[in-house]
Amino acid sequence: MRIKKSLTVLTAFTLLFSFMTSNVNAASTPFSQGAGYHQGAYDKEAMQPISFNWDRNSRYAGAAKNLYIKWTYQTESPGLSGIILDKEGNIFVTSRGSSPKNSLNSLNPDGSLKWVYTSNENMVYTSPVIDQNSNLIIQDGKYLKSINAQTGVSQDINQNPINGQFFSEPVLDDNGTIYIISPQPSLTAYNIDGSIKWNTPLAGLQKQSHISLSNDGTLYLKNTVSGVTRLYAFDSISGNKKWEYSIDADIQSNSAPAIDINGNVYIADKFGKIYSLDKDGVLKWSFETEKLTSSLATKLVEPVIGKDGTIYASNGYKNLYAINPDGSLKWTFSTSSAITSSPIIDVNNNIYLNADNKLIIIDQNANQLGSIVIDSNFVAAMAIAADGTIYTGNGAGKIFAIGGEVAGPTDPTEPPVEPKPPVDPVGERAIFVLTLSNGTEKEYDLSMQEVQQFINWYEARAAGNGPVTFAINKHNNNKGPFKQRQDYIVYDKIITFEVNEY
């Protein structure tokens, strides 16, 4: 005798993602900066609308095996910003240097030039962001510009030119307020009409990081004055300083402070020490990587936070360190040269980093999946497109599009073990129905063991533990020449689930 019963759980959450399928890059999945970040007025349909103010966890699976260079493009000047991608896969990157000029380059996905915006002003410290109107916001010397992403036609945002130049990637909040480091030096908030909302002086500007905006509205940045580096926290509404914390890092940061789901902030110093501070500026822990007598790098790269809370950090010299949320070492991946730009993590938790004149891909257990040699180390923050293409660039101003085989989660060596019939006459299998917040209803025929695994994951995630995604095997729904197909369900997108045992 088999008994049919139904279980329904109802819960509502902030809309962050829609469901993801293994090795399938759904363009409809909206961009998210990560749970610890304020979700600003960016183009959520863009593949990657920003470079620095996010957790660098892409919603796409990247090429990881059998890598090859699809194309290269040489910009007019050496030096590159982070690379961003719009919803069609067009590439935007600034080329910065003294010769012959500074420019913002727009490339088609095939590597051909779409348009170029040139400037006699200095664009050396920034990369563009794509706002909710699909315009590019970028600093251009004394001006903040809004540039039409299709045509390259620009207009000024700030009503009056500043005396100097801007120093960071623009950061947007939900209202379209723009936060940026200005000369004097100061941290400045601009209203959407270009008027100044507030302006907070900084104590001398020598070397600075980019800015992160947390979910609770706190702006974080690093600034070095007279050899002393501090992490600053400012209130984004008033511009008032909340706190500061001193570290030993008399070099410029090439990225922005990292923020996890609980609002903790992560930074690195020039001797390879990684710091974790809570949202009140209290040190939780510090972790010393390989001890350096002095940093050999001219810039530091701040840590990156994985979906499971793992902190991936470098020491400004060599090696990638995976650190558990409690500050203990998880593993070390050895390199012989510095990691010079922020790693990026794809939807399969594969980590992309640059070192040893290579693009290197490793999985979340530090197993190397692939690599490809490039003629010099990358300096541009990478981007992943919906088709798995990896974009990066080097210090000579060359952009690389790297393709290859997309590698997903490892297939199980043995089939799942079906549960043995228990003493009580409950069903062995169930029709499992998920309702997502975008109205999509997903139905699966699963074993009760698989259902219980889902419930265990769901309860752990509700308590703040475990990954944000859960893989459901589609079993008999598999179609085509695939060993296995899985739906990746995101916790914050679930409205209800129903278990109908049979």
Side-chain angles (χ1 to χ4, degrees):
M1 176 179 179
R2 290 180 175 174
I3 300 174
K4 178 180 179 181
K5 65 181 180 180
S6 176
L7 169 66
T8 301
V9 180
L10 177 63
T11 181
F13 297 95
T14 304
L15 305 182
L16 295 178
F17 303 97
S18 62
F19 70 93
M20 290 178 275
T21 57
S22 175
N23 294 342
V24 177
N25 290 329
S28 60
T29 305
F31 172 80
S32 172
Q33 291 165 260
Y37 291 78
H38 181 91
Q39 307 301 310
Y42 302 98
D43 184 353
K44 300 301 193 297
E45 294 183 10
M47 295 182 189
Q48 188 172 307
I50 54 180
S51 288
F52 301 115
N53 180 35
W54 67 304
D55 63 6
R56 297 199 59 77
N57 283 263
S58 174
R59 65 198 194 275
Y60 302 121
K65 297 180 179 179
N66 301 320
L67 301 177
Y68 67 97
I69 297 176
K70 297 172 69 173
W71 53 259
T72 64
Y73 181 87
Q74 181 64 57
T75 62
E76 297 180 10
S77 304
L80 292 167
S81 68
I83 294 173
I84 64 170
L85 308 173
D86 68 10
K87 57 189 174 185
E88 284 84 27
N90 298 309
I91 303 106
F92 302 93
V93 61
T94 58
S95 173
R96 44 189 173 87
S98 58
S99 175
K101 62 181 106 175
N102 296 311
S103 60
L104 171 62
N105 302 269
S106 173
L107 306 179
N108 294 300
D110 63 2
S112 60
L113 181 65
K114 188 172 184 178
W115 53 257
V116 59
Y117 169 85
T118 59
S119 174
N120 291 322
E121 299 285 348
N122 200 333
M123 303 169 73
V124 69
Y125 291 107
T126 193
S127 64
V129 300
I130 308 176
D131 71 10
Q132 60 190 357
N133 298 315
S134 298
N135 292 321
L136 302 166
I137 308 298
I138 188 170
Q139 67 92 352
D140 180 8
K142 303 177 178 64
Y143 295 92
L144 271 174
K145 299 279 189 178
S146 175
I147 299 177
N148 185 294
Q150 296 301 316
T151 64
V153 176
S154 71
Q155 62 181 20
D156 298 338
I157 293 176
N158 51 319
Q159 298 170 348
N160 298 300
I162 60 173
N163 184 22
Q165 66 182 53
F166 295 103
F167 288 97
S168 66
E169 177 186 72
V171 169
L172 309 181
D173 67 13
D174 284 341
N175 298 318
T177 304
I178 302 171
Y179 303 95
I180 195 164
I181 299 175
S182 301
Q184 299 175 13
S186 61
L187 177 64
T188 306
Y190 285 89
N191 293 307
I192 196 167
D193 63 359
S195 61
I196 293 178
K197 182 177 181 180
W198 52 255
N199 185 73
T200 299
L202 298 172
L205 185 65
Q206 291 183 0
K207 300 170 183 176
Q208 75 294 319
S209 69
H210 291 281
I211 305 167
S212 292
L213 178 57
S214 74
N215 193 36
D216 67 359
T218 303
L219 295 158
Y220 295 103
L221 63 96
K222 284 165 65 175
N223 187 27
T224 300
V225 180
S226 301
V228 178
T229 299
R230 296 177 176 88
L231 172 68
Y232 291 93
F234 293 92
D235 178 74
S236 62
I237 302 300
S238 64
N240 294 329
K241 186 176 72 174
K242 299 174 71 172
W243 51 263
E244 63 182 67
Y245 187 88
S246 296
I247 63 171
D248 193 353
D250 186 18
I251 57 178
Q252 184 172 324
S253 173
N254 202 24
S255 53
I259 309 170
D260 70 13
I261 190 172
N262 298 312
N264 300 313
V265 187
Y266 300 86
I267 54 174
D269 75 7
K270 70 175 181 178
F271 294 121
K273 183 178 286 188
I274 313 303
Y275 299 81
S276 172
L277 296 99
D278 68 18
K279 62 181 64 177
D280 297 316
V282 177
L283 181 67
K284 295 185 63 180
W285 52 258
S286 62
F287 176 88
E288 288 196 13
T289 65
E290 178 185 355
K291 184 66 177 177
L292 305 177
T293 56
S294 64
S295 176
L296 302 181
T298 57
K299 294 182 179 180
L300 282 175
V301 176
E302 307 298 353
V304 171
I305 312 298
K307 289 189 287 289
D308 63 354
T310 301
I311 300 98
Y312 299 103
S314 64
N315 60 8
Y317 175 47
K318 62 180 182 179
N319 302 339
L320 182 71
Y321 296 82
I323 305 169
N324 293 306
D326 63 1
S328 59
L329 179 65
K330 192 172 184 178
W331 49 255
T332 301
F333 181 82
S334 297
T335 68
S336 60
S337 67
I339 297 170
T340 52
S341 67
S342 295
I344 193 169
I345 305 170
D346 79 353
V347 72
N348 292 322
N349 298 316
N350 297 326
I351 305 151
Y352 295 73
L353 63 146
N354 61 79
D356 307 337
N357 292 342
K358 297 176 183 177
L359 169 65
I360 302 171
I361 302 98
I362 59 177
D363 67 16
Q364 59 188 334
N365 298 311
N367 300 308
Q368 184 167 323
L369 301 177
S371 68
I372 186 168
V373 175
I374 303 297
D375 52 15
S376 63
N377 268 351
F378 305 142
V379 297
M382 289 176 278
I384 300 177
D387 65 356
T389 301
I390 311 302
Y391 294 103
T392 190
N394 67 14
K398 183 184 289 187
I399 300 169
F400 298 83
I402 299 170
E405 177 187 347
V406 173
T410 303
D411 291 333
T413 56
E414 298 180 357
V417 178
E418 298 292 334
K420 296 181 179 180
V423 176
D424 294 328
V426 299
E428 297 174 350
R429 299 190 66 80
I431 301 299
F432 182 70
V433 182
L434 271 173
T435 303
L436 305 179
S437 57
N438 63 358
T440 301
E441 186 173 275
K442 306 285 288 182
E443 183 176 294
Y444 309 89
D445 187 351
L446 303 176
S447 70
M448 282 307 298
Q449 182 186 38
E450 291 173 301
V451 171
Q452 189 59 53
Q453 289 171 346
F454 175 91
I455 293 173
N456 291 342
W457 164 79
Y458 185 91
E459 292 176 346
R461 186 62 252 173
N465 301 316
V468 296
T469 60
F470 184 86
I472 297 180
N473 194 324
K474 300 180 76 170
H475 291 298
N476 293 334
N477 292 325
N478 287 342
K479 294 181 180 180
F482 306 111
K483 294 181 180 179
Q484 184 180 32
R485 293 178 68 215
Q486 294 177 310
D487 274 356
Y488 275 70
I489 307 300
V490 180
Y491 170 79
D492 292 325
K493 195 64 177 176
I494 299 170
I495 295 295
T496 67
F497 62 85
E498 181 178 293
V499 181
N500 299 294
E501 297 182 19
Y502 69 91

